[in-house]
Amino acid sequence: MDGLNLNFGLGGGSEPEVETVLNDAPRPEVENVIIIGSGPAGWSAGIYTGRANLRPLLITGNELGGQVAITNEVENYPGFPEGLTGPELAEKMQAQAQKFGTAVEIDYVTEIDVAGPPFGVKTASGKHYRANALIVATGASPRKLGVPGEERLTGRGVSYCATCDGFFFRGKELVVVGGGDSALEEALFLTRFATKIRVIHRRAQLRAGATLKRRAESNPRIEFVWNSVVTRIDGENKVESVTLKNTATGAVSELRTDGVFIYVGHLPNNQFFQGKLAMDELGYLITDKLMRTSVPGIFAAGEIQDHRFRQVATSVGQGVAAAMETEKYLAELEDRAYPGHTAYIEPLRRFVSRF
Ligand SMILES: Cc1cc2nc3c(=O)[nH]c(=O)nc-3n(C[C@H](O)[C@H](O)[C@H](O)COP(=O)(O)OP(=O)(O)OC[C@H]3O[C@@H](n4cnc5c(N)ncnc54)[C@H](O)[C@@H]3O)c2cc1C
């Protein structure tokens, strides 16, 4: 499809086993619900709205399967005691959503019109949809360093998630890049597995909060490399070393390591709803417990509204909740009796106005 750069995952490199497009039945002029995003939150919303006979339409975005599809191995998703690869898990979720009637469009949303219902959705391929409800599940992306070797070795020692991958580095030596709260939290978590963790920070002091700083500085497994940036990551089939440049002196050095964990920020995929849906100061959508955004009828789930937990299981749970609430919203829309129209919008507006 024009302008689309599809990513079927780096881990297994295999094509999805299921049909990726299942749109043979004619679509209604106004869809019941459009799900935006094909990560765990999107697929789980598809499974639930599909099983509720809502005939959902899911628009995948450029990364089919979402972040999990670039994960080598997932060991912490319940139900799979042996673990499975990220692409496998993503394919299973897709197959299950399609089995229950989720139509899949491989396309990218460029614009939404929130003056609804029905809401308008425009895509990169020039399609224009209308839907009575939207579930936004566009996720987030870890900010990359953008250095040589980073992309090639992602899943082979380069990671953006200690909770996910730390377990694979028992008895190893690691590098953590960053100096904020996330970097230190993850470095501390990694001390459970790795024997030595070197935190590489571009400045001479940390940005992280005092308690975390104290804990990290007093941990014998953590060492700090100040005034330094990673300029490349090397290794044949897995990470073997990083090249460092001292930001004060310009000196270049090489550091042997088994893995590189990168925490230089996390970016919500929020481009097309800027100024249309309420966001927090970091750009994540603000939702209430029922996954409702600031516009009635538009729900959000997964990492686009959650920068705290950032797991497959939590994103799936939020996708399920958004789907169940969407079903309720649509059922009540007909007679405009949906209590949410007035009950939650004022407190949410007051909350949003604090930012
Ligand atoms: C390297 C790595 C390893 C990980 N390992 C684990 C693990 O072992 N266990 C675990 O629990 N979690 C792991 N995680 C975290 C987990 O992958 C995420 O928490 C989860 O994928 C978030 O799901 P999501 O559906 O909210 O969003 P995402 O997975 O980010 O998916 C977002 C989707 O939205 C789509 N999209 C974006 N913009 C648009 C648009 N404009 N139009 C249409 N679609 C759009 C994208 O194409 C994508 O399909 C890992 C993450 C990474 C990066």
Side-chain angles (χ1 to χ4, degrees):
M1 187 158 292
D2 282 350
L4 284 179
N5 170 24
L6 286 180
N7 179 350
F8 287 92
L10 302 175
S14 61
E15 294 281 311
E17 282 163 16
V18 293
E19 277 288 302
T20 52
V21 181
L22 193 81
N23 296 341
D24 28 18
R27 301 302 305 176
E29 197 183 315
V30 177
E31 301 282 347
N32 290 319
V33 54
I34 292 181
I35 299 163
I36 308 173
S38 60
W43 291 131
S44 58
I47 293 165
Y48 272 67
T49 50
R51 286 194 84 234
N53 266 340
L54 292 176
R55 295 193 65 212
L57 176 71
L58 183 147
I59 302 175
T60 61
N62 293 355
E63 279 117 24
L64 185 63
Q67 294 172 65
V68 76
I70 59 159
T71 310
N72 246 355
E73 198 164 355
V74 180
E75 283 193 330
N76 55 5
Y77 188 66
F80 298 94
E82 311 303 331
L84 74 176
T85 70
E88 264 173 346
L89 181 56
E91 285 164 19
K92 283 181 190 296
M93 288 183 182
Q94 176 175 351
Q96 199 171 352
Q98 290 192 239
K99 176 178 159 190
F100 293 117
T102 302
V104 179
E105 269 297 326
I106 296 179
D107 209 340
Y108 186 85
V109 173
T110 52
E111 201 182 325
I112 56 170
D113 177 3
V114 298
F119 306 106
V121 174
K122 283 189 186 163
T123 68
S125 71
K127 293 204 176 130
H128 194 167
Y129 301 95
R130 290 196 303 152
N132 280 325
L134 301 180
I135 299 178
V136 181
T138 50
S141 314
R143 196 196 291 268
K144 308 273 164 52
L145 290 178
V147 299
E150 180 180 16
E151 203 175 319
R152 180 174 61 84
L153 293 166
T154 293
R156 297 185 175 93
V158 173
S159 174
Y160 304 87
C161 179
T163 318
C164 319
D165 298 332
F167 195 68
F168 303 116
F169 292 89
R170 273 160 295 174
K172 306 280 187 194
E173 297 203 358
L174 296 173
V175 153
V176 165
V177 188
D181 285 345
S182 299
L184 291 202
E185 268 172 21
E186 305 290 324
L188 283 161
F189 180 78
L190 290 168
T191 58
R192 299 177 192 196
F193 314 103
T195 50
K196 173 66 72 193
I197 291 130
R198 292 185 178 85
V199 177
I200 315 289
H201 187 37
R202 57 165 56 241
R203 298 197 180 80
Q205 52 187 343
L206 298 165
R207 278 182 292 115
T211 314
L212 269 175
K213 234 157 93 173
R214 219 173 17 252
R215 283 179 54 213
E217 283 168 351
S218 62
N219 192 306
R221 293 192 175 197
I222 297 181
E223 202 175 88
F224 291 91
V225 182
W226 303 113
N227 291 323
S228 295
V229 290
V230 172
T231 56
R232 57 179 299 129
I233 304 172
D234 284 298
E236 183 89 18
N237 293 316
K238 58 182 181 55
V239 168
E240 289 164 22
S241 67
V242 291
T243 303
L244 302 180
K245 184 175 174 197
N246 188 297
T247 52
T249 65
V252 174
S253 59
E254 194 182 316
L255 179 65
R256 308 292 299 172
T257 185
D258 299 304
V260 184
F261 284 77
I262 299 167
Y263 300 101
V264 292
H266 197 244
L267 302 172
N269 298 323
N270 62 10
Q271 298 79 357
F272 65 81
F273 36 77
Q274 299 271 358
K276 295 183 173 172
L277 301 175
M279 298 180 206
D280 66 15
E281 74 282 11
L282 299 173
Y284 290 83
L285 286 182
I286 294 176
T287 54
D288 67 0
K289 277 187 182 169
L290 304 180
M291 317 318 292
R292 299 179 291 196
T293 67
S294 53
V295 174
I298 304 184
F299 300 82
E303 287 197 15
I304 186 57
Q305 52 82 60
D306 165 32
H307 51 84
R308 190 173 180 89
F309 299 112
R310 302 196 328 218
Q311 294 297 294
V312 176
T314 49
S315 303
V316 162
Q318 291 153 1
V320 169
M324 292 175 74
E325 204 53 30
T326 297
E327 186 195 341
K328 195 160 172 238
Y329 166 81
L330 289 172
E332 293 173 2
L333 186 64
E334 271 175 29
D335 57 4
R336 299 301 242 172
Y338 187 57
H341 273 278
T342 51
Y344 84 97
I345 199 71
E346 252 327 296
L348 189 59
R349 266 201 196 113
R350 276 202 300 278
F351 177 64
V352 170
S353 69
R354 301 209 318 252
F355 295 100

